[in-house]
Amino acid sequence: MGSSPTSSASASSVVRSNRSPRAAFSALRLWGFRQWTAVAASAVATALIVGVPTAVVPTPFFGREIPVQWWNYPALALTALLSGLVLGTYLRPGPSSTTPAPGGRLGSVGGVLSFFAVGCPVCNKIVLLLLGTGGALSYWAPLQPLLALASVGLLAEAALRRLGGQAACPAPSA
């Protein structure tokens, strides 16, 4: 039996109506050890994947021409936390291991934006080719905090949508 247009529209409105912090927190209360372990591991992995190449996390492998700004640290921390939460929503208790809740693309875009937001403005080869060093410092660097806000906003929206979907239709526990 196929789904009708009205059933998919009503399912979409249910997910949209549960896209709230209250619904997200109620979904988080249903999570078990497996989900929280995935959140912690994903958050650490995201912090390293974004922080090491951008030299926000200091290593001998990468360096920066421009020093790390104060806002790079909270932006990286929020990106890691929200990415961990979004990735944790893909694990469900019970027989189903994935969920078709919306928000996956928003999380991907938010993660990529965070990489550009916290990176060194003159280390980005694309920006250097398009704007040159002066343009990277004059135009790109002032836009980076806005990219960080957009990144965190997209990741938060993705988390709210995915957690709202779990709250609307929780999977039975095993």
Side-chain angles (χ1 to χ4, degrees):
M1 205 168 156
S3 67
S4 67
T6 54
S7 67
S8 65
S10 64
S12 174
S13 67
V14 167
V15 171
R16 238 182 263 118
S17 67
N18 286 323
R19 191 195 57 77
S20 69
R22 180 174 288 156
F25 286 123
S26 68
L28 289 175
R29 283 194 296 265
L30 300 174
W31 281 13
F33 179 76
R34 189 171 134 219
Q35 284 81 18
W36 288 111
T37 303
V39 168
S42 300
V44 169
T46 300
L48 292 175
I49 289 169
V50 173
V52 169
T54 59
V56 175
V57 175
T59 64
F61 305 112
F62 296 98
R64 289 176 71 114
E65 296 295 321
I66 306 299
V68 176
Q69 302 295 311
W70 69 267
W71 56 266
N72 291 149
Y73 298 109
L76 180 61
L78 286 171
T79 296
L81 174 67
L82 290 169
S83 294
L85 283 173
V86 169
L87 291 170
T89 62
Y90 285 93
L91 291 177
R92 301 274 305 245
S96 174
S97 62
T98 61
T99 177
R105 287 187 184 148
L106 291 175
S108 300
V109 173
V112 170
L113 274 180
S114 70
F115 186 81
F116 290 112
V118 300
C120 171
V122 296
C123 299
N124 186 329
K125 304 300 183 225
I126 297 169
V127 173
L128 280 179
L129 283 173
L130 293 174
L131 302 174
T133 303
L137 292 173
S138 299
Y139 301 112
W140 181 253
L143 288 177
Q144 286 182 297
L146 299 174
L147 286 177
L149 288 174
S151 167
V152 169
L154 288 170
L155 285 166
E157 178 67 19
L160 284 174
R161 286 186 184 188
R162 292 196 56 84
L163 289 168
Q166 286 184 356
C169 185
S173 56

